[in-house]
Amino acid sequence: MASPILVYGREGCAMCHHFMQACKKAGLAAQLISIDSDAGSEQMFSKARAAGILGPGGSIGLPVVEAYGSVMLRPSIEKIKKLRKVQGLPPPQRAAAGGGSSGPRQDAALLFKTIDRNDDGVLSHDEISNALSDLGYTDDEITSLVLALDTDSDGVVGREEFEKGWLHFKLYQKFGKGKGSQPTIVLQALDELNNARRNPQAYAASLKPMLTQFEGKRFHRAGRITLLTQEGKAAVQEAIVFLEKQKSLPPLTLSPGLSYAALDLLQDHGPQGKTGHTGSDGSDPFQRMSRYGQWGGTAGENCAYGGQSGKEHVDQLIVDDGVASRGHRTNIFNPKFLVVGIAVGGHTAYGTACIQDFAHTYREADSDAPVPPDMPVETDAPSREQAAAAAAIQRKHRSNAAKEVAEGMRQDKQILSNGQGAVVEAEGAITPELEAAMGELPDDYKKSIKQGLADGLTCRITTVTKGSVMTIKVKLWGARCTMNMEMRITRG
């Protein structure tokens, strides 16, 4: 008998769960080894290092799979089957589908196994709630259905209860329609991004009610903590003017691979209450995007915090309060961006975070991978302690800006001394040298730079060319903020 496939990952990792389910469907015996334990983590990194699949700075994505003498990063099931064949082993036997023709009851039995993540033979209310929310059920619908399914009120739903409820409430109709549907808040954010791109004038109208919620720079929200903004209603008014003049753009397509790249940052920063675009492993957005596929043309990343719906996250990024260059808004309305990945989940300081990774094109490493589910989010409003923690993080983030600028200047000098690129800087006004360095940038980026300089900011553009890839880094900074933009262009 063949040894089981060893899958190094985490229970909460959607990509790991997808791979385990794919193995099960293909009849391949697989064992998940948690890297949350020291032993599991040491095993994974030791084997990954020996196989030469570690990324920059020793980083690596999940899952790492050991099968039939090979250690691989996110292999396809077809690759696993080929390795099995090389070993002279017989083809795997697919799991039985229950015999006979498929129908609602058979579908219910299969779905029960899928929802029962811990294989204990019963469904907890949380397991059912997560499955239903991923298919677009509202909180009220979920509560009613969970209570109705749990006919004996013992706190769990058995197989027979689930199958009877499946038929009685015609849940199969909802699950059938929802096949392939995306997580609720992720889908909301995608819809709002595309609403803004397709019809910016209508989106401008949706922002106008926000103007009545300001008292100076304080933004009041019913039943929630008041936000202290940097610009007050002026930023919202400016966003409305922009949207009313903005041309319609094609909608963005949701990418699973880019969504996993966004999820990597969310799962890294969320538990630590961090902000920004650099991962704890030193990774930048472009390295994370490259873990799950190949991006082409140009790419960028947005991070929003504290929203309770997809629209709140997108509103925040379009208004872009306190960001002189309006760089987040520029990403949303960049005509070269055609695909996006989105991850939404909890954040210990701000309550929630929404990460958006954009690209012109993206070739998925795993075309069968689903978009990852929303991560757990606390339903209660942030406490005073959370609000204080958020304010402390903001202060720390701003105080680090000067250090980042100094470090950037040191790196730029190193680039120049090595003859790898060019650095151009200007303050308060555009120069011919800066104008030339802006040549490859999108028009929206150029507009943001010119506006930032007019506002008294300093701009530095660093261009580095390695082989066929040219990286252009733009930094705008001044009294109010520091803004970073980065674009990569692949030639030939």
Side-chain angles (χ1 to χ4, degrees):
M1 183 176 177
S3 301
I5 297 164
L6 302 182
V7 182
Y8 292 91
R10 291 190 173 92
E11 289 285 350
C13 171
M15 202 76 167
C16 300
H17 176 71
H18 166 68
F19 184 81
M20 292 293 289
Q21 290 295 316
C23 285
K24 186 176 181 180
K25 184 178 179 182
L28 295 164
Q31 177 185 351
L32 180 66
I33 298 179
S34 175
I35 63 167
D36 288 329
S37 68
D38 290 340
S41 178
E42 288 174 8
Q43 284 181 37
M44 182 190 74
F45 278 102
S46 175
K47 293 177 180 179
R49 192 175 295 108
I53 58 174
L54 288 179
S59 62
I60 196 166
L62 297 176
V64 172
V65 178
E66 182 179 9
Y68 312 120
S70 297
V71 176
M72 302 155 283
L73 176 62
R74 302 189 199 92
S76 67
I77 294 299
E78 287 306 312
K79 185 171 183 178
I80 298 291
K81 289 179 180 178
K82 287 179 182 178
L83 289 172
R84 183 184 176 93
K85 187 175 182 179
V86 169
Q87 295 272 338
L89 296 169
Q93 298 298 311
R94 286 180 174 270
S101 60
S102 177
R105 187 174 292 278
Q106 286 76 19
D107 290 343
L110 289 173
L111 184 65
F112 184 93
K113 292 180 181 179
T114 301
I115 299 176
D116 187 16
R117 293 287 183 90
N118 58 5
D119 291 322
D120 63 355
V122 294
L123 304 181
S124 68
H125 288 192
D126 284 342
E127 286 175 324
I128 298 171
S129 177
N130 289 338
L132 293 176
S133 65
D134 284 357
L135 294 170
Y137 275 68
T138 66
D139 290 343
D140 289 341
E141 287 176 325
I142 290 172
T143 301
S144 298
L145 284 169
V146 167
L147 292 175
L149 289 170
D150 187 11
T151 54
D152 59 6
S153 301
D154 64 350
V156 294
V157 175
R159 186 185 303 275
E160 186 176 344
E161 287 177 316
F162 184 78
E163 291 182 7
K164 285 182 178 178
W166 174 269
L167 295 169
H168 181 72
F169 296 107
K170 298 183 178 179
L171 296 183
Y172 57 90
Q173 293 179 354
K174 184 75 173 186
F175 276 78
K177 291 176 183 176
K179 215 167 190 180
S181 65
Q182 308 306 341
T184 307
I185 303 179
V186 167
L187 186 57
Q188 285 178 7
L190 177 67
D191 284 345
E192 295 304 330
L193 287 170
N194 286 334
N195 288 341
R197 284 170 65 97
R198 279 186 297 230
N199 193 342
Q201 290 71 38
Y203 207 93
S206 77
L207 295 183
K208 290 181 179 178
M210 294 175 64
L211 297 172
T212 64
Q213 296 173 254
F214 281 93
E215 181 184 353
K217 293 186 178 181
R218 295 181 180 275
F219 183 62
H220 298 286
R221 303 174 296 173
R224 296 164 64 184
I225 293 171
T226 296
L227 293 179
L228 180 60
T229 66
Q230 293 189 50
E231 301 177 60
K233 67 170 64 176
V236 180
Q237 290 170 327
E238 188 270 335
I240 291 170
V241 171
F242 168 87
L243 290 167
E244 288 174 341
K245 296 178 181 178
Q246 172 64 32
K247 294 179 180 179
S248 177
L249 294 172
L252 298 161
T253 300
L254 189 62
S255 158
L258 289 177
S259 295
Y260 281 104
L263 183 63
D264 280 354
L265 186 66
L266 175 69
Q267 291 182 318
D268 175 12
H269 281 190
Q272 302 181 71
K274 288 185 174 181
T275 60
H277 301 281
T278 303
S280 297
D281 59 359
S283 63
D284 62 29
F286 312 102
Q287 290 170 327
R288 292 189 293 272
M289 292 179 202
S290 298
R291 293 171 182 170
Y292 302 95
Q294 182 179 349
W295 60 271
T298 181
E301 182 174 76
N302 279 351
C303 301
Y305 305 95
Q308 292 190 354
S309 67
K311 181 161 174 37
E312 285 193 8
H313 286 299
V314 175
D315 285 354
Q316 178 190 136
L317 293 166
I318 289 177
V319 171
D320 232 0
D321 175 70
V323 180
S325 67
R326 307 297 192 218
H328 302 103
R329 182 195 300 169
T330 297
N331 279 339
I332 292 173
F333 292 99
N334 185 343
K336 293 187 178 181
F337 289 154
L338 300 177
V339 289
V340 66
I342 304 172
V344 179
H347 193 279
T348 55
Y350 291 99
T352 63
C354 176
I355 314 300
Q356 303 165 0
D357 283 344
F358 302 87
H360 177 60
T361 62
Y362 194 77
R363 183 182 300 170
E364 305 284 346
D366 183 355
S367 58
D368 294 326
V371 172
D374 298 346
M375 294 294 100
V377 177
E378 295 293 334
T379 55
D380 294 335
S383 64
R384 291 183 180 275
E385 290 75 15
Q386 284 178 311
I393 287 172
Q394 287 177 314
R395 287 194 298 272
K396 181 179 178 181
H397 188 61
R398 288 169 186 152
S399 68
N400 284 339
K403 295 178 183 177
E404 291 175 4
V405 170
E407 175 61 18
M409 293 174 69
R410 186 193 68 76
Q411 292 176 359
D412 292 344
K413 288 180 181 179
Q414 185 69 33
I415 289 170
L416 285 173
S417 65
N418 293 338
Q420 294 177 316
V423 180
V424 179
E425 186 173 307
E427 180 179 359
I430 198 162
T431 63
E433 294 80 9
L434 193 72
E435 184 94 49
M438 290 163 53
E440 296 281 355
L441 294 173
D443 289 340
D444 287 346
Y445 277 40
K446 294 176 183 177
K447 184 177 178 181
S448 296
I449 292 170
K450 290 176 181 178
Q451 183 60 54
L453 289 169
D455 290 341
L457 300 182
T458 300
C459 175
R460 184 170 68 251
I461 299 178
T462 306
T463 304
V464 179
T465 301
K466 292 184 179 180
S468 62
V469 179
M470 180 170 71
T471 303
I472 304 174
K473 297 182 180 180
V474 180
K475 184 182 288 289
L476 279 165
W477 76 94
R480 288 195 303 168
C481 73
T482 297
M483 180 64 198
N484 295 288
M485 295 180 283
E486 185 168 328
M487 184 179 80
R488 290 188 183 182
I489 301 171
T490 303
R491 301 185 185 281

